[in-house]
């Protein structure tokens, strides 16, 4: 099977739900009549830009949008986040002293696709994302919430 057709099959399989691991994907592909090796699946996943999150492999798409921010997350960002900066695949959120944990917990509870995890200090939150595109999307979302509330 040609790479383009294999990758289309992988995309359709990942569109249904995240796949836990490459072995599960191999089984799904074999069941679909397209047996391949693990090395081929690994290369195809990389070529497609698939990322591995807590639930397994998925294809990033429009990961964040303003309507995905829960009211609780929006309220916590509005009330506590002062600034957000991108640092590669990390975001750095600044808060007032003692407020970082509130923002980190709210981000964790929102379970936004593309947020791998958070670490909170006293006035700083590090938000890990799987790639730069996810970091950029999340930064824009947070900035839109922060700036709308500050104007």
């Amino acid at each position: 099977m040609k790479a383009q057709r294999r990758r289309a099959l992988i995309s359709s399989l990942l569109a249904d739900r995240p796949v836990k691991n490459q072995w599960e994907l191999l089984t799904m592909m074999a069941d679909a009549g397209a047996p391949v090796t693990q090395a081929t699946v690994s290369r195809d996943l990389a070529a497609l830009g698939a990322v591995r999150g807590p639930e397994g492999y998925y294809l990033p798409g429009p990961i964040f949008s303003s309507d995905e921010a829960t009211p609780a997350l929006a309220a916590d960002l509005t009330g506590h986040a002062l600034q957000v900066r991108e640092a590669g695949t990390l975001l750095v959120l600044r808060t007032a002293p003692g407020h970082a944990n509130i923002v980190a917990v709210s981000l964790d509870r929102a379970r936004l696709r593309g947020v791998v995890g958070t670490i909170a200090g006293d006035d700083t939150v590090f938000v890990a994302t799987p790639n730069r595109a996810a970091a950029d999307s999340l930064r824009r979302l947070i900035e839109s919430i922060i700036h709308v509330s500050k104007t």
Side-chain angles (χ1 to χ4, degrees):
M1 178 179 275
K2 294 201 182 252
Q4 185 176 7
R5 290 188 63 206
R6 266 194 335 268
R7 291 173 185 165
L9 175 59
I10 291 171
S11 293
S12 69
L13 292 171
L14 294 178
D16 292 337
R17 63 178 176 80
V19 176
K20 291 180 185 171
N21 55 48
Q22 291 183 13
W23 302 112
E24 181 181 359
L25 186 56
L26 286 170
T27 302
M28 294 168 72
M29 292 185 69
D31 291 346
V36 294
T37 66
Q38 182 274 327
T40 299
V41 165
S42 181
R43 283 191 299 272
D44 287 343
L45 287 169
L48 288 168
V51 291
R52 185 166 183 173
E55 288 86 31
Y57 287 95
Y58 64 91
L59 292 176
I63 297 174
F64 303 102
S65 66
S66 57
D67 58 345
E68 287 186 61
T70 65
L73 175 61
D76 287 339
L77 288 172
T78 300
H80 304 286
L82 303 174
Q83 177 188 39
V84 60
R85 293 186 61 199
E86 207 171 320
T89 61
L90 290 176
L91 291 183
V92 180
L93 278 79
R94 302 298 258 175
T95 69
H99 294 231
N101 194 56
I102 296 167
V103 173
V105 168
S106 190
L107 280 164
D108 289 339
R109 287 183 178 158
R111 300 184 56 86
L112 294 172
R113 184 175 169 196
V115 172
V116 178
T118 61
I119 299 174
D122 183 49
D123 63 355
T124 305
V125 179
F126 288 139
V127 183
T129 64
N131 54 48
R132 286 179 181 236
D136 182 58
S137 295
L138 181 58
R139 178 190 48 77
R140 284 186 275 120
L141 171 65
I142 292 171
E143 282 178 340
S144 72
I145 293 169
I146 293 172
H147 294 314
V148 166
S149 68
K150 304 288 188 225
T151 57

